[in-house]
Amino acid sequence: MKSLNSATANSVNKTAQPKVALIAEGGGQRGIFTAGVLDAWLEQEYDPFDLFIGTSAGSQNLTSYLARQKGYAKRLIRGLSRNKRFFQLGRGLVGKHIVDLDWYFDKTTEVKRAIDFKTAKTSLGARELLITATNARDRKAYYLSPTGESGQWRDLLKASSALPFLYKQGVKLTPWLNAKAANEIHLAEEQIQSDFYLDGGLAAPLPVREAYNRGARKIVVIRTVDANFQAQSAWVQKLRSFAIASGYCPKTLDYLIQHEKAYLDELEFIANPPSDVEIIQIFADEKLHSKLLGSSNNDLRFDHKLGLDAGRSYLAMQNLQINSNNHYSAPTQYSYN
């Protein structure tokens, strides 16, 4: 499990060729919009990216995209995430997980729900997929690379989706680190300890700057909020209401404050990017109906359709740019919605 911090990434990429990056934001069930965008691209076998970074539900969407499993993420969100076994607020009162990620990811080992990790590894090839997770000990963002082994890849997806309060202390991982790695660069490999990891959105909710630091000069970001949303990501509002209503854990609220600061920092970077980067944000052209949790089947179907439309619109615009050749000059930053 490889992890590289931003400073190291900067030095590595000084002489590298510019990359095209795809970033998938989290957002719980709202990730079905992202699933729709990626399904539209799979229809046309569109995948020009060199770097993939996924946060929470976004990491699951990117994995199914690389696995070439059109419709897979949609089925899981509409099926497993709406199952009564998955989300029960009352379980928190007896010390259990409110969101049962163990059950959810165990279900993805069944034949009819299996993620095709073998195809995902093959299609990824020499490119890079980074799954974000937040270390519960130092609260820093880690960008973790799957090895291709299904159990390890599945654990990374679980860790990236483990929201505090909803999934207790997180997922225990032992990152593979070396002298150039992550946030413990001063430690020898044998000193690295196993840690618990939580949802990547806590420390890296929108890792656009990270993609830039790793050499990406065209960055496509699939968003799961409205285009004019500038305060905090949608799942934070929901999680805060859960935590306050239960009188639970000031530490959870600390995580939310950390998330908001990181989120606002990334929005500032997107609004005022370096001159040598093109940032493209893909939003729904209508307000999303789905929520972090508890969405209706109709709302999820509606948002997946919005994603399909947004993905197809993006492809149409890309084709227009290609056909226009030198007659079209792309702006530094723009959005599809």
Coordinates of all heavy atoms in Angstrom, one line a residue, residues 3-14 178-182 185 213-214:
S3 N 2.0 5.2 -0.3 CA 1.5 6.5 0.0 C 2.6 7.5 -0.1 O 3.8 7.3 0.3 CB 1.0 6.5 1.5 OG 0.5 7.8 1.8
L4 N 2.3 8.7 -0.8 CA 3.3 9.7 -1.1 C 2.8 11.0 -0.7 O 1.7 11.4 -1.1 CB 3.7 9.6 -2.6 CG 4.9 10.3 -3.1 CD1 6.2 9.6 -2.6 CD2 4.9 10.3 -4.6
N5 N 3.5 11.8 0.0 CA 3.0 13.1 0.4 C 3.2 14.2 -0.7 O 3.9 13.9 -1.7 CB 3.6 13.6 1.7 CG 5.1 14.0 1.6 OD1 5.7 13.8 0.5 ND2 5.6 14.4 2.7
S6 N 2.6 15.3 -0.6 CA 2.6 16.3 -1.6 C 4.0 16.9 -1.9 O 4.4 17.1 -3.0 CB 1.7 17.5 -1.2 OG 0.4 17.1 -1.1
A7 N 4.8 17.0 -0.8 CA 6.1 17.6 -1.1 C 7.0 16.6 -1.9 O 7.7 17.1 -2.8 CB 6.8 17.8 0.3
T8 N 6.9 15.4 -1.6 CA 7.6 14.4 -2.5 C 7.1 14.4 -3.9 O 7.8 14.3 -4.8 CB 7.5 13.0 -1.8 OG1 7.9 13.0 -0.5 CG2 8.3 12.0 -2.6
A9 N 5.8 14.5 -4.0 CA 5.1 14.4 -5.3 C 5.6 15.6 -6.2 O 5.9 15.5 -7.3 CB 3.6 14.5 -5.2
N10 N 5.8 16.8 -5.5 CA 6.3 18.0 -6.2 C 7.7 17.7 -6.8 O 7.9 18.0 -8.0 CB 6.4 19.1 -5.3 CG 5.1 20.0 -5.4 OD1 4.5 20.1 -6.4 ND2 4.7 20.6 -4.2
S11 N 8.6 17.1 -6.0 CA 9.9 16.9 -6.5 C 10.0 15.8 -7.6 O 10.7 15.9 -8.5 CB 10.8 16.5 -5.3 OG 10.4 15.3 -4.8
V12 N 9.1 14.8 -7.5 CA 9.1 13.8 -8.5 C 8.6 14.3 -9.8 O 9.1 13.9 -10.9 CB 8.2 12.6 -8.0 CG1 7.9 11.6 -9.1 CG2 8.8 11.9 -6.8
N13 N 7.7 15.2 -9.8 CA 7.0 15.6 -11.0 C 7.6 16.8 -11.7 O 7.1 17.3 -12.7 CB 5.5 15.9 -10.8 CG 4.8 14.6 -10.6 OD1 4.8 13.7 -11.5 ND2 4.1 14.4 -9.5
K14 N 8.8 17.3 -11.2 CA 9.3 18.5 -11.9 C 9.7 18.2 -13.3 O 9.7 19.1 -14.2 CB 10.6 18.9 -11.0 CG 10.2 19.7 -9.8 CD 11.4 20.2 -9.0 CE 11.1 20.9 -7.8 NZ 12.3 21.3 -7.0
N178 N 8.1 3.7 2.7 CA 9.5 3.7 2.6 C 10.1 5.0 2.9 O 9.4 5.9 3.4 CB 10.0 3.2 1.2 CG 9.5 4.1 0.1 OD1 9.2 5.3 0.3 ND2 9.3 3.6 -1.1
A179 N 11.4 5.3 2.6 CA 12.0 6.5 3.0 C 11.4 7.8 2.4 O 11.6 8.9 2.9 CB 13.5 6.4 2.6
K180 N 10.7 7.6 1.3 CA 10.1 8.8 0.6 C 8.6 8.9 0.9 O 7.9 9.7 0.3 CB 10.3 8.6 -0.9 CG 11.7 8.7 -1.4 CD 11.8 8.6 -2.9 CE 13.2 8.7 -3.4 NZ 13.3 8.6 -4.9
A181 N 8.1 8.2 1.8 CA 6.7 8.0 1.9 C 6.0 8.9 3.0 O 6.5 9.2 4.0 CB 6.3 6.6 2.2
A182 N 4.8 9.3 2.6 CA 3.7 9.8 3.4 C 4.2 10.8 4.5 O 5.1 11.5 4.4 CB 3.0 8.7 4.0
I185 N 7.9 10.5 7.1 CA 9.1 10.3 6.3 C 10.4 10.1 7.1 O 11.4 9.6 6.7 CB 9.2 11.6 5.4 CG1 10.3 11.4 4.3 CG2 9.5 12.8 6.2 CD1 10.3 12.5 3.3
N213 N -0.1 19.0 -7.6 CA 1.3 18.7 -7.0 C 1.9 17.4 -7.6 O 3.1 17.3 -7.6 CB 1.2 18.6 -5.5 CG 1.0 19.9 -4.8 OD1 1.2 21.0 -5.4 ND2 0.5 19.9 -3.6
R214 N 1.0 16.5 -8.1 CA 1.5 15.3 -8.7 C 1.7 15.4 -10.2 O 1.9 14.4 -10.8 CB 0.6 14.1 -8.3 CG 0.7 13.8 -6.8 CD -0.4 12.7 -6.4 NE -0.3 12.4 -5.0 CZ 0.4 11.4 -4.5 NH1 1.2 10.7 -5.2 NH2 0.4 11.3 -3.2

